Amino acid sequence: MTDAQKTAADTTLRAAGDSPPDPRPAPVPLLEPREGIPPVTATDDALAEVVAAFAAGTGPVAVDAERASGYRYGQRAYLVQLRREGAGSVLIDPVGCPDLSALGEAIGDAEWVLHAATQDLPCLRDIGMVPARLFDTELAGRLAGFARVGLGAMVENVLGFALEKGHSAVDWSTRPLPEPWLRYAALDVELLVDLRDALEEELTQQGKLEWARQEFAAIAAAPPPPPRKDPWRRTSGMHKVRRRRQMAVVRELWTARDQVAQRRDVSPGKVLGDAAIVEAALSLPPNSHALAGLHGFGHRMGRRQLEQWQAAVDRARALPESELPQPGQPLNGPPPPRAWADKDPAAAARLSAARAAVTALAESLNLPQENLITPDTVRRLCWEPPAEPTQESVAEVLSGHGARPWQIEQVAPLLTQALLTDPT
């Protein structure tokens, strides 16, 4: 039994809403990985040794990845950490080893243990690593009812150890990586399997383990998300932009910025801030001199850069009316709930009843409402209910929107009742 497992065995798990147990000892700072900081694997020969070691290892594989969000363009991995019984911990540099498919194959159908899996799976997929099955410790914590589900909070509350928190937002594209960062990265996978084991026991005691397994299987089977439509519409401060010509300026500046950021491999926000884009859209400057007077453009920005941004503004100013963007994206689903009372009072009554029922059930099950059933699924069901609302017809609609069997079992009866609500 590891030190962490012993601590977990001696610690009473406490989920949100439980009465505090007897005072527990202060968490033990986790300062060093058990076998020390592993060397960074950055060559084909070193990677081959890692592949062999993990193929010979046993049990689940703890996996984590570090990106350079806010520093680099995109969400690629700049460090991958793994740990497995019999293989120890490894740190892999995906810049030096951009193809980890051999490692993914060596792990085979072993269970991957990740924290907030949906954040790391896209960048891991890009380097050839795709799990056959997984255990998400953050999602397990949500289902178990923990109020704080960050990795540090979970390790502290469940296992009694305190992880260092200082390097989560650093520029992981830095080379060479400083030793304190490598220590932090290795410690992120140090206790993941121990945390997984303790959470599995807690979920079993709460009767929720099968729920968690269905959730994990859905994550593992999910295809890559499609490209976002009109991503420029997510520019911060976009709510201030109301005229179509101004929207065209946002679109042109956003697109030009994205091209520059991709070419330079830097975060778009470091090229030009969202606030500057919105201000230019609202002002519609006629020339680069006027543009330079706007916040976000004049400070230490060269003439060539100003001309580049002014060219984007000019393109938007020259567009014919027929090519200007529409005020809003076409709705794929029901309208915003605030409009339901006017558009369809009966649907508004159904939604109100459904929300109240879901809230009460989620509280009784001690888990977040969005994990019991997604709000979007509830809205779609209430806006377009089956012609004859029965538990069977409601279950079919829920399944069609991606609800898992455990969710359907829990919510279909109460949602069926909500659909029969009399609006009068």
Side-chain angles (χ1 to χ4, degrees), residues 108-110 112 130-134 220:
D109 64 351
W112 292 26
V130 181
R133 55 196 182 98
L134 59 84

Side-chain angles (χ1 to χ4, degrees), residues 202-225:
E202 176 69 8
L203 289 168
T204 299
Q205 292 175 0
Q206 294 188 22
K208 298 176 180 176
L209 183 59
E210 176 56 28
W211 301 1
R213 286 174 174 162
Q214 291 180 26
E215 294 297 312
F216 302 156
I219 294 174

Side-chain angles (χ1 to χ4, degrees), residues 340-341 344-355 382 418-424:
W340 286 29
D344 190 338
R350 292 192 294 265
L351 181 61
S352 178
R355 283 174 163 174
C382 291
L419 295 181
L420 298 173
T421 297
D422 184 352
T424 62

Side-chain angles (χ1 to χ4, degrees), residues 71-421:
Y71 297 94
R72 295 289 183 174
Y73 185 86
Q75 293 295 316
R76 67 168 294 183
Y78 282 95
L79 189 69
V80 176
Q81 310 100 281
L82 301 97
R83 182 175 181 83
R84 191 180 196 186
E85 186 70 28
S89 295
V90 297
L91 303 175
I92 303 176
D93 179 2
V95 178
C97 301
D99 183 1
L100 300 188
S101 56
L103 178 57
E105 293 169 3
I107 295 172
D109 64 351
E111 179 186 79
W112 292 26
V113 183
L114 304 101
H115 192 81
T118 54
Q119 295 182 18
D120 289 338
L121 288 179
C123 69
L124 291 169
R125 183 184 292 112
D126 289 344
I127 53 178
M129 296 190 66
V130 181
R133 55 196 182 98
L134 59 84
F135 189 107
D136 186 333
T137 50
E138 184 198 50
L139 182 50
R142 292 183 185 279
L143 294 175
F146 285 88
R148 298 167 60 226
V149 293
L151 180 60
M154 293 295 293
V155 167
E156 181 174 325
N157 291 337
V158 176
L159 301 178
F161 286 92
L163 289 176
E164 184 182 357
K165 303 175 183 178
H167 304 299
S168 61
V170 299
D171 181 3
W172 287 97
S173 69
T174 300
R175 293 296 184 272
L177 287 165
E179 182 177 293
W181 298 12
L182 297 175
R183 180 183 295 107
Y184 165 90
L187 289 174
D188 265 3
V189 293
E190 182 80 5
L191 299 179
L192 265 183
V193 174
D194 299 291
L195 180 60
R196 171 238 181 270
D197 292 344
L199 288 171
E200 181 179 66
E201 181 178 348
E202 176 69 8
L203 289 168
T204 299
Q205 292 175 0
Q206 294 188 22
K208 298 176 180 176
L209 183 59
E210 176 56 28
W211 301 1
R213 286 174 174 162
Q214 291 180 26
E215 294 297 312
F216 302 156
I219 294 174
R228 191 183 298 276
K229 182 177 174 59
D230 290 348
W232 58 270
R233 292 184 184 271
R234 295 177 63 85
T235 302
S236 180
M238 190 67 190
H239 63 282
K240 303 175 186 176
V241 181
R242 302 187 182 278
R243 291 162 47 195
R244 293 174 63 199
R245 184 73 59 185
Q246 295 172 334
M247 292 179 186
V249 173
V250 173
R251 182 175 64 185
E252 291 295 330
L253 282 172
W254 189 98
T255 302
R257 179 185 70 174
D258 194 66
Q259 292 169 348
V260 172
Q262 187 169 10
R263 185 174 68 249
R264 291 170 49 190
D265 189 20
V266 296
S267 170
K270 290 187 174 297
V271 175
L272 186 66
D274 280 9
I277 290 178
V278 170
E279 183 156 353
L282 297 176
S283 301
L284 290 173
N287 52 54
S288 58
H289 179 73
L291 182 67
L294 301 180
H295 179 72
F297 288 95
H299 181 60
R300 292 188 298 179
M301 186 171 286
R303 180 174 60 85
R304 182 176 298 180
Q305 287 179 295
L306 283 171
E307 290 175 349
Q308 169 184 256
W309 304 130
Q310 184 61 42
V313 175
D314 291 342
R315 287 194 297 272
R317 292 171 62 96
L319 284 175
E321 288 287 331
S322 61
E323 295 182 19
L324 295 178
Q326 295 301 316
Q329 293 174 288
L331 282 174
N332 178 23
R338 63 179 178 273
W340 286 29
D342 293 329
K343 291 179 178 292
D344 190 338
R350 292 192 294 265
L351 181 61
S352 178
R355 283 174 163 174
V358 169
T359 298
L361 181 58
E363 290 177 355
S364 69
L365 294 173
N366 194 28
L367 51 76
Q369 297 176 41
E370 61 270 19
N371 292 114
L372 176 58
I373 190 72
T374 67
D376 181 67
T377 297
V378 175
R379 287 193 294 269
R380 290 174 183 270
L381 173 69
C382 291
W383 185 253
E384 294 184 353
E388 296 184 12
T390 64
Q391 286 195 36
E392 292 74 18
S393 63
V394 168
E396 184 176 354
V397 172
L398 295 176
S399 179
H401 290 310
R404 266 69 72 189
W406 77 268
Q407 295 175 311
I408 295 172
E409 180 182 0
Q410 292 295 320
V411 304
L414 59 89
L415 290 179
T416 302
Q417 188 62 40
L419 295 181
L420 298 173
T421 297

